[in-house]
Amino acid sequence: MRKLNLILILLLATVVFSCKNDKKPEVKEEAKGETTASKEIQITDAEMEEGSKIFFDRCAGCHGSSRKGATGPSLLPDGDGKSAATKALGVAGIRAFIENGTPGGMPEWKGILSEHEIELMTRFLQVAPPVVPPFGIKEMTDTWNLIIPVADRPTKPEHNRNIGNYFGVIMRDAGKVAIIDGDTKEKLVVLKTGFAVHILRTSASGRYIYSVGRDGRITIIDTYTKIPTIVAEVRGAFDSRSVEVSKMKGYEDKYLVFGGYSPSHIAIMDAQTLEPISVTPTAGKACDGDKEFIEEARVASIVASHTDPVWICNVKERGMVDIVDYTDPKNPKITEIPTARFLHDGGFDSTGHYFLVAANASNKIVVIDVPNKKLVKIIETGIKPHPGRGTNIKNKLGNLWVTSHLGENKLSFIKTNPGEGQWTVVKEIKASGTGGGALFVKSHPKSKHLWVDRTLNPDAKLNSAVDVFDTNTLELKKTLSAPEGVDGRAVHFEYNKAGDEVWVSYFMGKKSAIVIYNDKTLKVKKIIQGDWVENPTGKFNVNNTTHDVY
Ligand code: DHE
């Protein structure tokens, strides 16, 4: 086991991370011992290291870092009583899943992973997973790097650009974030922010852009400087997906919250310097009374209330919505609301009073009354809802919050305003073609269009196109295929500040691009390509992200 721990540490150390004093954590005493590799399965230390890296990069998000399962089933050598033992599946069974994917939303990895990598994973998955070493406030603080202290930063913008229409665009595999001026479409800078950046958020003032990566690294980008600049960075865990800041009046740009996947915890930091303030582990019992104590209780989506001093942190495996009061950030008061498993992504309704989140393993959407810290309703929608932050539209059916689904071809419209049908699915429609694979939906208060992608659909025709629906009739208006010279899967949408342009990313193909559409005419307005456009994924407009416009 000592070898396995060393392997894990090596693996984590290989993740590009250049913070000052970036120390490797100590190996846990109790984790030391005999190797757990199965006698029948031959795997060398070097292969174990490579397999861990592939698993961490490609599989841990759905199957869990400790392989106990989440959105995807557990992948343990002897099973867990619910899912098959990987030893029983054997090389051929594991290969079939890896190569073909599943109708439930697992992508087919043939063509993405090499033959060597697939073969290795068929053996790696049959031996016990490595143990995650501790990573608390000390380890976090050791990685903290305040590059430009607050006193040395400009007090007002050093330029005349419109920061509210800046876009932060993630170049996932390059571990970079590009800042693009949405008015002029110029690339201002491409910053190295960490391995496989996942999402961006902006500060309540709109000045700072925060990135968080799969390596648990958080970076602050200051938009006041002539060229946006990284002013601080820290690592909050080995693995993560979410970051948010305090948004209530009086707390603007004050505190930052970070959600750890591995280890699973909620960390609070100073939002201007990233100095760690407190860490609260999220392990505990599940929402449904199951007796098992869940160590891997990963923090999935996080949103910040604009009216109350709280963040809403969604603890995936436990199905708990944690309302975190940040008025005393050293000892945050956390109200736990038991809901459904496994919580993943979600966003506000149009009033900002209610938060809706997907419990994707239960095929449900959970509705939380944020100021009153109460569960409102758990609504059955479809197979594996995946809304992103969802989106809000309005038509004769009422105010509707929309989710797409990963596991089936369905868009569900939940009525959010008071009256008959509130908190029920009042309409369901299909996107074009067959099968699921949709990841994101988007509209804008000024738009009459609803945009939907099909990123994980196995059909290349569908995964490279986006559907646009009329928000009044909910009829499909147009399917937009990848423009000439653009190749890959279409993913994620963002409107500009004015709400008249939609930006779509093309990644995982031979010709990555950011395609900008005129939202009224649905014609291509601009295609952004170049050496620096490498597998773009999420795009975050400063104004829309700051004010939760979606
Ligand atoms: Fe994401 C949001 C987790 C795969 C692109 N993704 C989120 C959030 C979570 C999450 C918890 C919500 C953050 C928040 O709102 O605070 N995503 C995961 C995974 O665990 C998963 C399934 C597997 C993994 O290993 O990461 C996963 N995600 C993907 C992708 O494959 C995508 C398409 C490209 C990528 O980055 O690898 C992807 N996820 C995104 C984007 C958002 C996101 C663009 C932000 C959406 C938004 O508008 O807020």
Side-chain angles (χ1 to χ4, degrees):
M1 185 57 79
R2 175 188 292 222
K3 266 186 185 161
L4 292 183
N5 274 294
L6 287 171
I7 286 161
L8 181 76
I9 291 162
L10 275 172
L11 150 72
L12 296 164
T14 59
V15 169
V16 184
F17 188 73
S18 60
C19 283
K20 188 178 72 178
N21 300 328
D22 186 13
K23 283 192 189 153
K24 290 170 202 160
E26 303 276 308
V27 177
K28 232 181 180 174
E29 268 314 305
E30 64 267 31
K32 296 176 181 175
E34 287 302 300
T35 174
T36 52
S38 145
K39 285 208 173 64
E40 310 86 67
I41 297 298
Q42 299 298 317
I43 189 156
T44 64
D45 288 355
E47 286 175 330
M48 194 66 194
E49 182 184 341
E50 189 185 352
S52 298
K53 176 151 173 40
I54 297 166
F55 187 83
F56 177 73
D57 291 355
R58 307 287 192 173
C59 324
C62 293
H63 297 282
S65 311
S66 55
R67 300 195 347 221
K68 285 188 179 161
T71 317
S74 71
L75 296 172
L76 297 170
D78 299 311
D80 64 350
K82 286 176 244 157
S83 307
T86 51
K87 279 199 296 203
L89 281 174
V91 166
I94 297 172
R95 176 179 281 276
F97 279 111
I98 296 175
E99 289 191 342
N100 305 316
T102 67
M106 172 165 160
E108 69 285 6
W109 291 101
K110 196 173 179 174
I112 300 172
L113 294 179
S114 65
E115 169 50 34
H116 160 76
E117 289 172 324
I118 292 174
E119 191 283 324
L120 172 58
M121 294 314 279
T122 62
R123 288 181 289 124
F124 172 83
L125 291 174
Q126 294 189 63
V127 300
V131 173
V132 179
F135 194 83
I137 193 124
K138 185 192 169 295
E139 288 80 7
M140 226 174 264
T141 308
D142 285 347
T143 70
W144 177 41
N145 187 9
L146 180 58
I147 300 162
I148 304 180
V150 178
D152 298 343
R153 297 180 197 166
T155 51
K156 54 182 191 339
E158 290 175 334
H159 54 81
N160 294 321
R161 293 182 187 269
N162 176 10
I163 294 173
N165 202 29
Y166 276 14
F167 282 71
V169 181
I170 294 169
M171 304 298 158
R172 186 191 65 175
D173 299 341
K176 293 178 184 164
V177 170
I179 310 295
I180 301 175
D181 181 331
D183 287 355
T184 63
K185 316 287 185 277
E186 284 166 87
K187 170 201 66 176
L188 300 179
V189 68
V190 182
L191 296 165
K192 198 140 187 48
T193 52
F195 165 78
V197 187
H198 211 81
I199 68 157
L200 307 181
R201 289 287 184 261
T202 54
S203 67
S205 68
R207 170 178 183 164
Y208 296 112
I209 298 174
Y210 300 87
S211 82
V212 71
R214 282 206 182 99
D215 54 0
R217 175 176 167 178
I218 313 161
T219 305
I220 312 186
I221 301 164
D222 187 359
T223 61
Y224 274 13
T225 44
K226 204 156 187 205
I227 303 293
T229 319
I230 295 179
V231 292
E233 52 192 11
V234 72
R235 190 177 203 170
F238 296 125
D239 188 6
S240 66
R241 301 291 183 280
S242 50
V243 72
E244 195 38 292
V245 287
S246 51
K247 288 194 173 166
M248 192 191 151
K249 203 166 183 308
Y251 290 92
E252 295 95 337
D253 301 9
K254 214 166 163 56
Y255 301 126
L256 172 141
V257 64
F258 163 89
Y261 255 29
S262 179
S264 301
H265 57 217
I266 293 167
I268 301 181
M269 299 169 187
D270 182 300
Q272 302 207 29
T273 65
L274 294 184
E275 182 174 11
I277 298 174
S278 68
V279 181
T280 309
T282 45
K285 299 261 170 70
C287 57
D288 45 21
D290 193 304
K291 289 205 178 70
E292 190 200 350
F293 185 85
I294 301 172
E295 280 290 347
E296 188 172 17
R298 298 179 291 172
V299 181
S301 51
I302 304 181
V303 292
S305 167
H306 294 257
T307 55
D308 292 77
V310 297
W311 293 301
I312 299 99
C313 299
N314 297 281
V315 185
K316 187 187 273 291
E317 283 79 3
R318 293 179 56 216
M320 291 287 187
V321 174
D322 282 5
I323 311 270
V324 181
D325 182 323
Y326 52 69
T327 49
D328 179 6
K330 279 200 165 156
N331 302 290
K333 192 170 156 240
I334 300 183
T335 308
E336 291 221 300
I337 306 175
T339 62
R341 300 202 231 184
F342 292 119
L343 297 176
H344 192 71
D345 48 353
F348 286 110
D349 79 322
S350 59
T351 67
H353 186 107
Y354 298 99
F355 169 69
L356 296 96
V357 58
N360 56 20
S362 337
N363 304 328
K364 293 184 173 99
I365 293 288
V366 169
V367 186
I368 300 290
D369 175 337
V370 175
N372 295 308
K373 302 180 181 168
K374 271 196 191 137
L375 173 67
V376 175
K377 186 105 186 261
I378 298 179
I379 307 161
E380 183 103 28
T381 61
I383 305 170
K384 293 203 177 118
H386 194 288
R389 281 168 289 168
T391 194
N392 290 285
I393 64 164
K394 196 174 173 179
N395 62 26
K396 60 179 190 301
L397 297 169
N399 295 343
L400 310 174
W401 182 88
V402 190
T403 184
S404 42
H405 292 83
L406 196 47
E408 65 176 308
N409 184 2
K410 188 196 276 187
L411 294 165
S412 299
F413 298 80
I414 295 173
K415 181 172 164 175
T416 61
N417 57 312
E420 202 190 326
Q422 189 186 24
W423 308 128
T424 65
V425 176
V426 290
K427 181 85 183 170
E428 288 175 348
I429 59 172
K430 279 184 191 299
S432 50
T434 55
L439 289 181
F440 300 107
V441 286
K442 189 77 88 188
S443 189
H444 185 279
K446 289 192 185 145
S447 170
K448 290 284 162 227
H449 289 145
L450 166 67
W451 295 68
V452 185
D453 62 24
R454 300 291 283 289
T455 317
L456 294 186
N457 192 293
D459 181 342
K461 233 189 188 159
L462 293 178
N463 68 40
S464 60
V466 296
D467 281 346
V468 185
F469 292 85
D470 182 311
T471 53
N472 280 320
T473 61
L474 300 184
E475 297 288 331
L476 177 65
K477 205 156 168 190
K478 207 165 180 184
T479 298
L480 301 164
S481 304
E484 183 92 30
V486 172
D487 175 64
R489 296 182 184 227
V491 69
H492 196 250
F493 308 99
E494 180 61 303
Y495 274 84
N496 61 342
K497 184 179 175 191
D500 57 12
E501 277 173 9
V502 176
W503 294 36
V504 185
S505 302
Y506 277 85
F507 80 141
M508 288 172 75
K510 290 194 187 83
K511 292 173 194 158
S512 290
I514 304 154
V515 180
I516 305 175
Y517 287 95
N518 178 320
D519 181 56
K520 283 208 174 67
T521 62
L522 304 184
K523 295 238 158 63
V524 174
K525 203 165 167 180
K526 172 127 187 135
I527 298 176
I528 302 181
Q529 279 176 311
D531 291 352
W532 58 277
V533 182
E534 296 175 69
N535 281 323
T537 53
K539 300 154 297 299
F540 299 83
N541 171 274
V542 167
N543 176 72
N544 298 344
T545 310
T546 301
H547 301 288
D548 283 281
V549 179
Y550 44 79

